[in-house]
């Protein structure tokens, strides 16, 4: 049958006409000030459902310090402030125009280099008369860990029962300042991140690490989220290679490789400035920055999703050990043949 394909711009503008994926619902939005913790547990954390919460960031210093006032009450990233005050020598940056396996190609650069690249690109005027936004997306920046004395935000009460970060805080991995340990240290030590991306940067389809929960707050900017419930996650896997899933729901997804993809029913959300989204365990999601966006994001688990995390870890251990068995068998065979030769 013939289907009109939405361009990626339609998708990124949240436009409906000709959309390619089937969107069947929107994420609920609630005032976080009047929601109680037990309501949050009963309605979202326990049943593992997404929600957007408003009104929880008004006292965050980051919302002022990291942004400029822009038109229509929309704030814009204050990049010089980052270059001046948080001049990290190495930040992880995804190049959203380049795929590497299941993710974007990752680069490392200094904060200053990231800011310079952004400014250079926004000053370049293309034939359409608009600046070409940078395709570089600063991700997984361990901000709290790198700048512990600067209080950028306070974790909303709904997300403080966090065994993952609590555990990692009390079991520091490498505390020496040896540069060789730097990369290892920032990768292992917590799951509290800052993301900075120009309009058009995006995150490919994925479910979060160990099937943890995540929450993500827009300090400024807007994001378009597309979610798939865990009961449907089998629909986005390769029919022959169950380890491989769809990378970009907006591209021409091969029907041969992913025969059930068109059956998937997506839940959509446009997350505005200062709103916080709760991402439940095991929900696949793809995310677009509809404006230049700064977000703060934690991954965590607790009693309500521990079963998701342990099941996932058990499966990964089984898979990894199966791979080792195959490699070991090949090694033994090769060695045996060498001995016989
Ligand atoms: O904001 C993004 O680009 C991705 C965030 C995300 O995947 C998450 O918070 O789980
Ligand atoms: Fe995620």
């Amino acid at each position: 049958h013939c289907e009109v394909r939405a361009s990626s711009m339609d998708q990124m503008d949240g436009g409906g006409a000709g959309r390619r994926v089937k969107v069947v619902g929107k994420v609920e939005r609630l005032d976080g000030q009047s929601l109680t913790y037990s309501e949050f547990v009963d309605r979202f954390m326990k049943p593992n459902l997404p929600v957007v919460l408003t009104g929880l960031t008004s006292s965050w210093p980051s919302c002022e310090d990291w942004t400029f006032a822009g038109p229509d009450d929309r704030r814009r990233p204050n990049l010089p402030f980052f270059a001046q005050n948080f001049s990290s020598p190495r930040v992880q940056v995804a190049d959203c125009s380049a795929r590497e396996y299941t993710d974007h190609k990752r680069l490392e650069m200094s904060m200053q280099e990231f800011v310079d690249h952004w400014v250079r690109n926004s000053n370049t005027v293309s034939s359409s008369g608009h600046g070409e936004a940078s395709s570089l997306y600063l991700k997984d920046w361990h901000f709290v860990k790198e700048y512990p004395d600067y209080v950028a935000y306070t974790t909303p009460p709904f997300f403080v029962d966090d065994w993952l970060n609590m555990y990692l805080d009390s079991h520091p991995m490498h505390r020496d300042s040896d540069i060789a340990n730097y990369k290892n240290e920032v990768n292992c030590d917590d799951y509290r991140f800052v993301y900075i991306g120009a309009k058009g940067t995006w995150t490919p389809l994925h479910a979060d690490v160990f099937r943890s929960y995540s929450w993500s707050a827009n300090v400024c900017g807007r994001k378009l989220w597309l979610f798939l419930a865990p009961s449907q996650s089998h629909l986005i896997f390769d029919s022959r290679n169950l380890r491989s899933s769809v990378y970009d729901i907006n591209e021409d997804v091969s029907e041969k490789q992913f025969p059930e993809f068109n059956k998937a029913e997506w839940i959509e959300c446009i997350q505005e400035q200062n709103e916080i989204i709760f991402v439940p365990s095991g929900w696949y999601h793809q995310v677009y920055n509809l404006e230049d966006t700064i977000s703060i994001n934690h991954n965590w688990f607790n009693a309500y999703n521990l079963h998701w995390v342990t099941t996932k870890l058990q499966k990964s251990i089984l898979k990894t050990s199966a791979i080792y068995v195959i490699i070991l068998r090949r090694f033994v065979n090769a060695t045996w043949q060498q001995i016989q030769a």
Side-chain angles (χ1 to χ4, degrees):
H1 63 282
C2 175
E3 209 167 7
V4 185
R5 179 165 187 266
S7 74
S8 56
M9 277 322 286
D10 285 341
Q11 187 74 273
M12 285 157 67
D13 291 343
R19 181 193 293 288
R20 198 159 183 275
V21 298
K22 200 195 300 172
V23 175
V24 298
K26 291 207 181 311
V27 174
E28 195 173 345
R29 178 175 267 102
L30 286 177
D31 173 14
Q33 296 280 1
S34 50
L35 183 72
T36 66
Y37 185 71
S38 64
E39 277 169 343
F40 176 70
V41 169
D42 291 341
R43 291 176 61 183
F44 305 105
M45 205 142 64
K46 223 190 268 178
N48 203 46
L49 295 172
V51 65
V52 174
L53 301 175
T54 61
L56 295 172
T57 63
S58 47
S59 64
W60 289 9
S62 54
C63 293
E64 290 288 320
D65 293 359
W66 296 3
T67 63
F68 293 123
D72 312 330
D73 277 344
R74 286 196 198 282
R75 300 188 69 91
R76 314 236 332 115
N78 182 348
L79 295 173
F81 184 84
F82 283 94
Q84 251 164 40
N85 297 284
F86 311 118
S87 58
S88 302
R90 271 202 255 171
V91 288
Q92 284 234 21
V93 171
D95 178 357
C96 297
S97 62
R99 178 175 177 175
E100 202 168 83
Y101 305 105
T102 60
D103 198 358
H104 288 137
K105 186 177 169 193
R106 295 281 179 132
L107 314 162
E108 269 187 359
M109 59 184 69
S110 68
M111 176 57 83
Q112 186 67 55
E113 284 171 306
F114 174 74
V115 170
D116 289 346
H117 185 276
W118 178 309
V119 171
R120 225 177 14 251
N121 275 53
S122 58
N123 289 337
T124 321
V125 177
S126 72
S127 52
S128 67
H130 299 292
E132 290 283 335
S134 167
S135 68
L136 296 188
Y137 192 4
L138 190 157
K139 292 183 114 172
D140 302 337
W141 183 24
H142 295 253
F143 181 85
V144 172
K145 188 152 171 292
E146 231 177 287
Y147 298 98
D149 298 330
Y150 173 91
V151 179
Y153 61 97
T154 42
T155 300
F158 306 114
F159 316 126
V160 291
D161 181 22
D162 169 349
W163 301 357
L164 179 59
N165 289 297
M166 224 153 35
Y167 175 82
L168 292 171
D169 285 348
S170 57
H171 294 79
M173 301 209 181
H174 316 282
R175 281 289 171 222
D176 52 308
S177 57
D178 186 344
I179 197 76
N181 278 331
Y182 179 80
K183 188 174 148 80
N184 208 15
E185 185 177 352
V186 294
N187 282 338
C188 300
D189 237 359
D190 74 352
Y191 285 88
R192 302 181 180 102
F193 309 104
V194 169
Y195 285 43
I196 307 176
K199 176 177 176 170
T201 51
W202 60 289
T203 295
L205 185 62
H206 69 283
D208 278 11
V209 58
F210 331 125
R211 302 300 176 260
S212 56
Y213 294 136
S214 85
W215 63 266
S216 178
N218 284 348
V219 170
C220 67
R222 314 164 78 201
K223 287 178 192 276
L224 168 65
W225 296 73
L226 283 149
F227 283 105
L228 191 66
S231 59
Q232 299 212 357
S233 53
H234 60 283
L235 302 175
I236 53 127
F237 278 86
D238 187 325
S239 56
R240 287 157 301 183
N241 171 10
L242 289 178
R243 294 164 72 88
S244 142
S245 61
V246 171
Y247 166 75
D248 177 3
I249 61 174
N250 212 31
E251 71 180 3
D252 242 330
V253 174
S254 152
E255 221 177 313
K256 203 162 167 206
Q257 200 180 357
F258 303 101
E260 300 206 282
F261 177 70
N262 288 332
K263 292 190 194 151
E265 298 183 325
W266 299 85
I267 310 280
E268 182 187 73
C269 172
I270 292 181
Q271 178 196 14
E272 302 289 346
Q273 167 179 291
N274 299 345
E275 292 185 336
I276 305 186
I277 193 160
F278 167 64
V279 180
S281 284
W283 284 65
Y284 274 78
H285 47 285
Q286 184 163 327
V287 190
Y288 294 90
N289 290 318
L290 297 168
E291 303 289 342
D292 297 348
T293 301
I294 304 177
S295 60
I296 291 169
N297 148 247
H298 287 195
N299 283 100
W300 90 104
F301 60 79
N302 60 31
Y304 296 106
N305 66 339
L306 189 63
H307 61 289
W308 282 90
V309 176
T310 51
T311 310
K312 174 71 188 161
L313 288 178
Q314 268 164 5
K315 279 189 190 154
S316 324
I317 290 166
L318 285 177
K319 267 188 198 158
T320 326
S321 34
I323 291 167
Y324 282 130
V325 168
I326 292 167
I327 292 172
L328 198 64
R329 200 182 288 149
R330 282 191 190 154
F331 173 78
V332 169
N333 280 345
T335 315
W336 180 242
Q337 275 162 16
Q338 261 178 11
I339 291 169
Q340 287 188 320

